[in-house]
Amino acid sequence: DAKTTQPPSMDCAEGRAANLPCNHSTISGNEYVYWYRQIHSQGPQYIIHGLKNNETNEMASLIITEDRKSSTLILPHATLRDTAVYYCIVRAQRMDSSYKLIFGSGTRLLVRP
Amino acid sequence: EAGVTQFPSHSVIEKGQTVTLRCDPISGHDNLYWYRRVMGKEIKFLLHFVKESKQDESGMPNNRFLAERTGGTYSTLKVQPAELEDSGVYFCASSPSVTGELFFGEGSRLTVL
């Protein structure tokens, strides 16, 4: 079962920042926060992951609270092509019971023109 | 570099028939995963190979599903006999390590009539 809670849907205007929240209050010390997205019916695409420090790459930024119980994925300048379902997943970085990617229902982000 | 490729992209079969889906992972990736999404449901884990060995097949729904990865390269997922509820999109993913980023293919859509 997914160990995260996300809003079912969100929208934002093109060119504006999209901030997608995720709650993971039961995250354990060895689990990372991963974000994937699925554009239409394509295969899921990796976005970013982090443990406790904020992370940034060419696609997005990940802000993790100090207690690690929640995080926010930030798409700084959303485009129409960012319309997708975004999945927040907690996952261990070692071979134990939670190393697999377990997808929840995600957040459907609609970027409006 | 070629990504994960899956074949066929779409298969339509009648109930009771057999279908075999193929996945070619990224070269050098020892870890290969199968997931599926049935209509209206979440993406579900099916199984995980490390090279030619089944590391975890806890998500396989029943014995009508058989996955193989001979030689530790490409993998096949056979459904025999297919049932209506097997309709959905079957995704394959590969990763260079057990806890590394998963790279997904575009999926194989299966329609059972």
Side-chain angles (χ1 to χ4, degrees), chain A residues 6 15-16 27 43-44 46 50 62 76 89 91 95 97-98 100 111:
Chain A
Q6 300 177 251
R16 304 297 295 271
I27 193 170
Y46 167 81
L62 174 60
I89 302 168
R91 181 190 185 208
M95 191 70 181
S97 62
S98 65
K100 294 175 293 193
V111 181

Side-chain angles (χ1 to χ4, degrees), chain A:
Chain A
D1 292 333
K3 298 172 62 175
T4 62
T5 303
Q6 300 177 251
S9 64
M10 296 183 63
D11 66 69
C12 75
E14 186 178 20
R16 304 297 295 271
N19 297 281
L20 290 85
C22 178
N23 287 322
H24 31 78
S25 58
T26 61
I27 193 170
S28 60
N30 68 324
E31 289 180 323
Y32 284 63
V33 180
Y34 277 75
W35 283 82
Y36 277 75
R37 73 180 182 182
Q38 186 178 25
I39 297 174
H40 192 46
S41 58
Q42 298 177 17
Q45 177 190 27
Y46 167 81
I47 301 173
I48 198 168
H49 75 282
L51 181 63
K52 55 182 179 181
N53 297 320
N54 298 337
E55 302 288 344
T56 295
N57 63 21
E58 65 280 3
M59 291 181 67
S61 295
L62 174 60
I63 308 298
I64 302 174
T65 58
E66 191 170 345
D67 63 9
R68 303 209 321 124
K69 292 185 177 181
S70 65
S71 60
T72 301
L73 178 74
I74 301 173
L75 307 178
H77 305 287
T79 70
L80 299 180
R81 288 175 295 181
D82 292 321
T83 291
V85 179
Y86 287 77
Y87 298 95
C88 170
I89 302 168
V90 296
R91 181 190 185 208
Q93 284 287 67
R94 65 179 188 213
M95 191 70 181
D96 65 15
S97 62
S98 65
Y99 81 95
K100 294 175 293 193
L101 279 182
I102 304 296
F103 290 85
S105 51
T107 295
R108 185 174 298 276
L109 175 68
L110 173 64
V111 181
R112 295 176 280 102

